[in-house]
Amino acid sequence: MALMPVAEAKDRILKDAKALPRENVPLHHCAGRVLAAGIKAKRDQPPFPASAMDGYAVRFADVQAVPARLKVIGTAPAGHGFGGTVKAGQAVRIFTGAPVPEGADTVVIQENTEAADGQVAVTVAAQRAGQHIRRKGLDFAKGEELLPRGTLLGAREIGLAAAMNWPDLPVTKRPKVAIFTTGDELVSPGTTPRPDQIVSSNSFALSAFVRRYGGEAVDLGIIPDNLKAISRAVRKASGAEILLTTGGASVGDHDLVQAALKAEGIALDFWKIALRPGKPLMFARNGTQRILGLPGNPVSALVCSRIFLKPLLSALLGLPPAEDVVKARLGSDLPANDQRQDYLRATVARGGDGSFEATPFKLQDSSMQRALTQAHGLIVRPPFAPAVRAGDLVDLLLLDF
């Protein structure tokens, strides 16, 4: 059986993947969400000509020549506009953010004035009409679309939406991702394993990965190597957009995930791809649900998630495809590659000119999680790539989870 190329596997996984339905979410809970529709400003910002400084609102005609002595007829703090009109020879004490009163067209800063006995002397001439005034709509105008569909909402975008007077936002529903790990050899962290057991880490790592890229993780726990138990877990996950399994995807006597899917009437789309680490990746569909059977090795599971799960989550969230492969100079020699596409864990340095240099770890065993934690990227080596020397350019997939 020929191994499927990585690109073909990715195309099959992403086929027909589109944004999930929208829901309205209060602004306080929108961090990390994706806009399902563009939003327009509901008001001008600022909504009135506003003072940019503490000082005095005056008529420009009165302060072109100095000294100029003006009568102070009122005060305009922020949030409390002056209701009258500024006429010739008059001024209003004004503070930053307050509306500029009718009749005034300039603000002189308080450092250029001397106030006493209900009057203010302007000691430095104004340079132009409109000085120190933010015009109405300077930042944005009512009806402008400032945040388009597909925007990933962070602090800046949420602050802008609030200023646009949106108390909640239309966002794409989070893809629900059910996760279970199979294996009698696995125990939860904090317990005491038997001599023939190991501590399970995949479900914790994958849950964090799913949340990092906008999904909702549902951990179904560790499932024993039992066909009926695995079948029950598959049924329990039926309401999720994605089901992730780890371990049990091969064809050994205790690798039962494929058999459980078959028992539930779910046909396998493909199994085994030309990838290292991650050759035994399995993919199936159960209606609209996508099922990824990830390898049990922790590094393989996360590398496969970076290659296949991240773009799937992005598609379901309505995010555009990411161009996340960059060119990097190789930090050490590499031999010719075989028929599997290699993803080599590497440290990454950034040169003064912004270029990347990637140096692969000498040991690339897929069970070694420490190296993945220390890696900043994955060097991508196509099938049958020739030997390369230090300084040659290679493709680099940056890690950000």
Side-chain angles (χ1 to χ4, degrees), residues 60-122:
F60 177 64
D62 288 339
V63 292
Q64 294 182 68
V66 292
R69 189 171 295 276
L70 307 172
K71 180 181 179 181
V72 179
I73 61 170
T75 302
H80 300 278
F82 177 74
T85 301
V86 176
K87 298 178 181 178
Q90 296 179 338
V92 169
R93 179 76 167 108
I94 197 167
F95 296 87
T96 302
V100 176
E102 289 290 329
D105 60 4
T106 301
V107 170
V108 292
I109 60 176
Q110 63 187 25
E111 292 88 343
N112 294 341
T113 63
E114 296 174 359
D117 301 325
Q119 293 190 325
V120 61
V122 178

Side-chain angles (χ1 to χ4, degrees), residues 41-53:
K42 295 183 177 182
R43 66 190 318 230
D44 298 326
Q45 179 62 22
F48 44 74
S51 179
M53 305 288 283

Side-chain angles (χ1 to χ4, degrees), residues 39-377:
I39 62 169
K40 297 179 180 180
K42 295 183 177 182
R43 66 190 318 230
D44 298 326
Q45 179 62 22
F48 44 74
S51 179
M53 305 288 283
D54 292 347
Y56 292 85
V58 299
R59 297 167 69 249
F60 177 64
D62 288 339
V63 292
Q64 294 182 68
V66 292
R69 189 171 295 276
L70 307 172
K71 180 181 179 181
V72 179
I73 61 170
T75 302
H80 300 278
F82 177 74
T85 301
V86 176
K87 298 178 181 178
Q90 296 179 338
V92 169
R93 179 76 167 108
I94 197 167
F95 296 87
T96 302
V100 176
E102 289 290 329
D105 60 4
T106 301
V107 170
V108 292
I109 60 176
Q110 63 187 25
E111 292 88 343
N112 294 341
T113 63
E114 296 174 359
D117 301 325
Q119 293 190 325
V120 61
V122 178
T123 57
V124 178
Q127 300 301 306
R128 57 178 176 82
Q131 187 169 305
H132 303 310
I133 293 177
R134 298 181 179 126
R135 61 175 176 80
K136 179 181 178 180
L138 174 66
D139 193 1
F140 53 80
K142 181 179 179 179
E144 281 190 272
E145 183 177 297
L146 303 180
L147 294 171
R149 177 183 177 182
T151 297
L152 181 62
L153 296 167
R156 292 173 294 175
E157 292 79 13
I158 289 171
L160 178 58
M164 293 161 65
N165 205 25
W166 285 81
D168 49 58
L169 294 174
V171 296
T172 306
K173 290 185 68 175
R174 292 185 189 274
K176 185 177 290 186
V177 183
I179 302 165
F180 68 77
T181 299
T182 64
D184 291 340
E185 77 278 14
L186 301 175
V187 297
S188 297
T191 60
T192 303
R194 298 194 311 261
D196 56 356
Q197 291 182 310
I198 59 173
V199 176
S200 176
S201 63
N202 277 340
S203 61
F204 297 94
L206 292 173
S207 293
F209 187 99
V210 166
R211 287 190 290 269
R212 166 67 178 84
Y213 293 113
E216 177 187 344
V218 180
D219 186 358
L220 301 180
I222 299 171
I223 310 300
D225 288 323
N226 177 282
L227 183 59
K228 289 184 178 179
I230 296 172
S231 294
R232 282 196 299 270
V234 171
R235 290 195 298 272
K236 191 173 182 180
S238 61
E241 281 77 31
I242 301 170
L243 168 59
L244 295 182
T245 72
T246 66
S250 191
V251 291
D253 291 342
H254 300 282
D255 295 325
L256 300 173
V257 173
Q258 288 193 40
L261 294 178
K262 185 177 180 181
E264 294 301 311
I266 301 169
L268 201 63
D269 187 307
F270 66 79
W271 171 59
K272 288 190 177 181
I273 56 178
L275 170 66
R276 184 173 35 242
K279 175 185 172 184
L281 182 94
M282 181 183 68
F283 177 64
R285 290 178 187 247
N286 184 16
T288 59
Q289 184 186 67
R290 287 167 167 82
I291 301 171
L292 281 171
L294 302 172
N297 278 333
V299 173
S300 299
L302 280 174
V303 169
C304 287
S305 295
R306 181 63 179 84
I307 299 167
F308 303 109
L309 179 58
K310 181 186 175 184
L312 177 57
L313 288 169
S314 294
L316 296 178
L317 287 166
L319 289 168
E323 297 294 334
D324 46 13
V325 174
V326 300
K327 291 293 183 182
R329 296 206 174 275
L330 192 58
S332 60
D333 298 349
L334 284 174
N337 197 20
D338 60 14
Q339 76 274 18
R340 292 160 66 185
Q341 185 153 304
D342 247 345
Y343 288 80
L344 303 174
R345 285 158 282 171
T347 59
V348 180
R350 201 78 183 263
D353 60 355
S355 63
F356 294 98
E357 181 180 89
T359 304
F361 290 98
K362 291 183 178 180
L363 291 177
Q364 293 286 331
D365 189 284
S366 58
S367 68
M368 298 176 63
Q369 293 175 263
R370 180 169 64 175
L372 181 61
T373 303
Q374 294 170 338
H376 308 105

Side-chain angles (χ1 to χ4, degrees), residues 379-396:
I379 296 171
V380 185
R381 305 225 53 222
F384 305 109
V388 282
R389 305 292 299 273
D392 289 346
L393 288 177
V394 292
D395 287 337
L396 178 69

